[in-house]
Amino acid sequence: MKILVTGATGFVGHYVVQWLVDHDYDVVATATSDEKAKKFAWYDSVKFVACDYYSEEKNFYEFFGEPDILIHLAWKGLPNYMMRFHLEENLPAEMRFLRSFAETRKTKIVITGTCYEYGVVNGCLSEDMPANPTTVYGVAKDTLRRYLSFLAGEYGFSWNWVRLFFLYGKGQSPKSLLPQLDAAIERGDTEFPMSGGEQLRDYLLVEKVAEYVCRIALQDAMSGVVNCCSGKMISVRQLVEERVSELGAEISLKLGVYGYPAYEGMAFWGDVSRLHEVIDDA
């Protein structure tokens, strides 16, 4: 079985590739930079193909060696959630890319989506809830999901849309919350400015996210949307406090410096019933 992973050098992607390599799958990995890919331990265990599919038009199914499964993680321009290029530039390129696999009827297509597709809602979010995104990124992703569903209806291939919630772990963007905290501690800062920290969020370690993405991709029991998350909530303040304690650091939290994003609910987490049903069958 040949598995193509896009965005292979990204935060989630390089963990997905490593999980597949560790489990002896035939992996074709792709991203835009061969030099970046060479830094990962899995490089010599996969076929790496440098490609910018946004700027190229070809039969990508044939170009990547006719994969049995596509795990599509790539997306440009994050975390600029409100920028129009998600719709105007990214979405058309994504549609072209997926169509070359869909038309073969031979490749299972698995794509990562986002909890931002749900919009500004609170509580436990299930896959059966209507999508109501309020960010340009969320609208673009949800539109791609609908397009994928239409393609699947037309061509009859298997697919999954894996909605990610909040991730953390080694290799995360330095602009993310915990890496910023780690950097402040390393600098010897006495205070860490942040929001009030009252938001309740669903966080999951990136290694576990990668495992779930792979196991969803490898199962045949269920097509459609699957939440990929912990199913538990933790306040942002508690998350930060636990990190400070873990590192044994002496730094005070300066709460309320930043406001809460208008495009997020204050307290939400994912329903993991479908996730566990799927991965138990994988």
Side-chain angles (χ1 to χ4, degrees):
M1 179 183 293
K2 181 182 294 184
I3 303 175
L4 170 63
V5 180
T6 70
T9 60
F11 179 44
V12 178
H14 79 267
Y15 285 101
V16 166
V17 173
Q18 190 62 60
W19 191 94
L20 293 170
V21 167
D22 290 343
H23 290 78
D24 299 321
Y25 286 97
D26 180 10
V27 178
V28 178
T30 185
T32 57
S33 172
D34 187 70
E35 288 304 309
K36 185 176 180 181
K38 288 178 179 177
K39 298 177 182 178
F40 294 103
W42 45 254
Y43 183 81
D44 291 330
S45 301
V46 307
K47 179 180 180 182
F48 183 82
V49 181
C51 177
D52 182 0
Y53 65 89
Y54 276 56
S55 60
E56 299 182 44
E57 286 208 36
K58 58 183 67 176
N59 185 320
F60 289 105
Y61 173 74
E62 294 180 354
F63 177 73
F64 286 113
E66 302 183 354
D68 300 291
I69 298 175
L70 164 64
I71 300 180
H72 187 38
L73 308 170
W75 189 277
K76 288 190 175 182
L78 293 175
N80 301 299
Y81 299 123
M82 299 304 295
M83 300 299 290
R84 291 196 309 275
F85 66 76
H86 291 297
L87 279 170
E88 296 171 350
E89 300 173 23
N90 290 11
L91 184 59
E94 295 290 340
M95 288 177 166
R96 288 194 303 270
F97 181 70
L98 293 181
R99 191 169 61 246
S100 66
F101 296 95
E103 289 173 346
T104 71
R105 308 171 191 258
K106 297 178 180 179
T107 301
K108 177 177 181 179
I109 299 177
V110 178
I111 306 178
T112 48
T114 170
C115 61
Y116 289 139
E117 294 167 59
Y118 289 112
V120 182
V121 288
N122 292 290
C124 184
L125 310 184
S126 75
E127 297 89 343
D128 295 328
M129 293 175 62
N132 187 28
T134 56
T135 64
V136 180
Y137 168 61
V139 170
K141 275 289 192 177
D142 187 57
T143 303
L144 188 65
R145 175 190 63 83
R146 294 170 188 267
Y147 179 69
L148 180 64
S149 178
F150 290 144
L151 288 177
E154 181 176 356
Y155 294 110
F157 58 87
S158 178
W159 65 283
N160 284 115
W161 186 267
V162 186
R163 280 197 181 129
L164 305 184
F165 280 63
F166 294 86
L167 290 61
Y168 68 98
K170 185 177 179 181
Q172 192 171 18
S173 167
K175 296 181 180 180
S176 298
L177 178 64
L178 293 182
Q180 287 189 58
L181 173 64
D182 291 348
I185 292 171
E186 188 172 344
R187 289 192 303 266
D189 294 356
T190 58
E191 291 184 327
F192 180 66
M194 57 179 288
S195 70
E198 297 173 326
Q199 317 97 302
L200 298 178
R201 295 288 179 265
D202 188 326
Y203 279 91
L204 191 60
L205 188 65
V206 65
E207 288 94 334
K208 185 57 69 173
V209 171
E211 176 192 342
Y212 287 166
V213 169
C214 293
R215 293 175 67 184
I216 291 168
L218 292 164
Q219 62 84 34
D220 296 319
M222 182 185 297
S223 284
V225 182
V226 182
N227 285 336
C228 183
C229 52
S230 71
K232 302 174 183 177
M233 54 182 172
I234 184 174
S235 73
V236 171
R237 178 174 179 174
Q238 183 181 344
L239 182 77
V240 171
E241 288 174 340
E242 288 181 357
R243 182 64 172 168
V244 171
S245 177
E246 176 188 342
L247 296 176
E250 294 184 5
I251 189 170
S252 299
L253 304 185
K254 192 173 182 180
L255 302 171
V257 176
Y258 306 117
Y260 299 118
Y263 53 77
E264 293 180 353
M266 278 297 293
F268 63 92
W269 62 99
D271 184 335
V272 292
S273 302
R274 186 173 298 175
L275 171 66
H276 288 296
E277 181 180 347
V278 168
I279 64 175
D280 287 345
D281 289 334

